[in-house]
Amino acid sequence: MTRVMLLDSASLYFRAFYGVPDTVTAPDGMPVNAVRGFTDMVSTLITRYRPTDFVACLDYDWRPAFRVALLPSYKAHRVEYTTGSGTPDVEVVPDLLEPQVPVLLAVLKAAGLCSVGADGFEADDVIATLAHRYDERGVEVDVVSGDRDLIDLTTERVRVLYTGKGISNIVAFTPEEVQAQYGVPAGHYADFAMLRGDPSDGLPGVAGIGAKTAATVVAQFGTIEQIVAAAKSGDKAMSSSVRVKVLASLDYLAVAPAVVRGRLDVPVDELTTAIPATPADPEMLAALGERFGISSAMERLTTALAKVAGHG
């Protein structure tokens, strides 16, 4: 059976950067903690969950203009102002992490593991598009991320492996787990988040509606669009308190769905995603290991590939 693992790459390499001491350095002194940590995470994930296929999804635009135009507060706390125009234009990335990103992408390429991004879109959108594509084809999918927004993608075939508590404490979100933890049906986590708000993404939410009420309202009425329609129509099933709060936030709720939901129409071509039994470029992988002093991590990745492909 085909099982595709879709990796939220930035989520993992940020976690690796903060989780592995920056005393892990290359022979020339360059920190490589994110490279080693990320590589070991990939090895662990494919060994533990044994996907047949793998895609590392990338942020080509971590704060897309179409989302900022709709909701200027979107991820605003993560930016720097460098142009003097008052327009946020640069993601805050630690100085010691930035030069490591091309290296870990080179590791993926040498290993023969697929990576892809799309101009103008976040990794979340690439993941949402691919998850939907594979789900429609009857393919099992594992989405790996520390971003709760992707829990919205959960279906009977799409499982979200949430890494917010670390690789050793992954929570596997199935439809049953989404219902158990949040009290909402699979596919409605985004509606829940829009009502409750999410400071990590700059989502204000609906004033006066917390997690418990948000879950109750979503479970009762469904999508944000259906909730707004019920409030506007005076649906007697909706409490007057909730109705007043929803009606007071109509401007926000009109744009929130397009901001929060992952796009399903990202232009991603058909990909070569099968996990190889051996690295695509073993010499390059070995050279990267030696150059950056992380040969043991390259060896662990090579071993993981062989095991998952049934050769070890």
Side-chain angles (χ1 to χ4, degrees), residues 79-247:
V79 301
E80 292 178 342
Y81 297 81
T82 63
T83 63
S85 66
T87 301
D89 56 1
V90 179
E91 182 180 15
V92 180
V93 178
D95 291 341
L96 298 182
L97 171 59
E98 192 167 7
Q100 297 189 58
V101 176
V103 179
L104 61 87
L105 293 179
V107 169
L108 291 174
K109 183 177 181 180
L113 293 171
C114 177
S115 64
V116 67
D119 290 335
F121 294 97
E122 299 178 60
D124 285 14
D125 297 309
V126 176
I127 291 170
T129 292
L130 291 176
H132 180 68
R133 178 186 298 176
Y134 292 128
D135 190 13
E136 285 197 321
R137 295 175 182 176
V139 175
E140 301 287 328
V141 179
D142 280 335
V143 172
V144 183
S145 178
D147 185 347
R148 291 182 188 272
D149 286 349
L150 291 174
I151 294 171
D152 195 57
L153 300 178
T154 305
T155 70
E156 291 300 328
R157 279 188 291 266
V158 179
R159 177 174 62 172
V160 177
L161 303 178
Y162 177 66
T163 63
K165 297 181 180 180
I167 293 295
S168 60
N169 294 292
I170 285 176
V171 178
F173 278 101
T174 60
E176 293 76 19
E177 186 65 20
V178 175
Q179 182 69 51
Q181 285 219 23
Y182 297 104
V184 298
H188 285 282
Y189 179 85
D191 302 295
F192 164 78
M194 288 178 232
L195 285 179
R196 179 201 58 187
D198 187 348
S200 68
D201 279 340
L203 301 178
V206 173
I209 292 185
K212 185 176 180 180
T213 300
T216 299
V217 173
V218 169
Q220 187 173 10
F221 295 98
T223 66
I224 287 296
E225 292 85 350
Q226 291 170 319
I227 292 166
V228 168
K232 286 183 175 180
S233 69
D235 191 323
K236 296 186 182 302
M238 179 177 286
S239 73
S240 58
S241 173
V242 169
R243 180 180 303 110
V244 168
K245 292 168 183 174
V246 169
L247 294 176

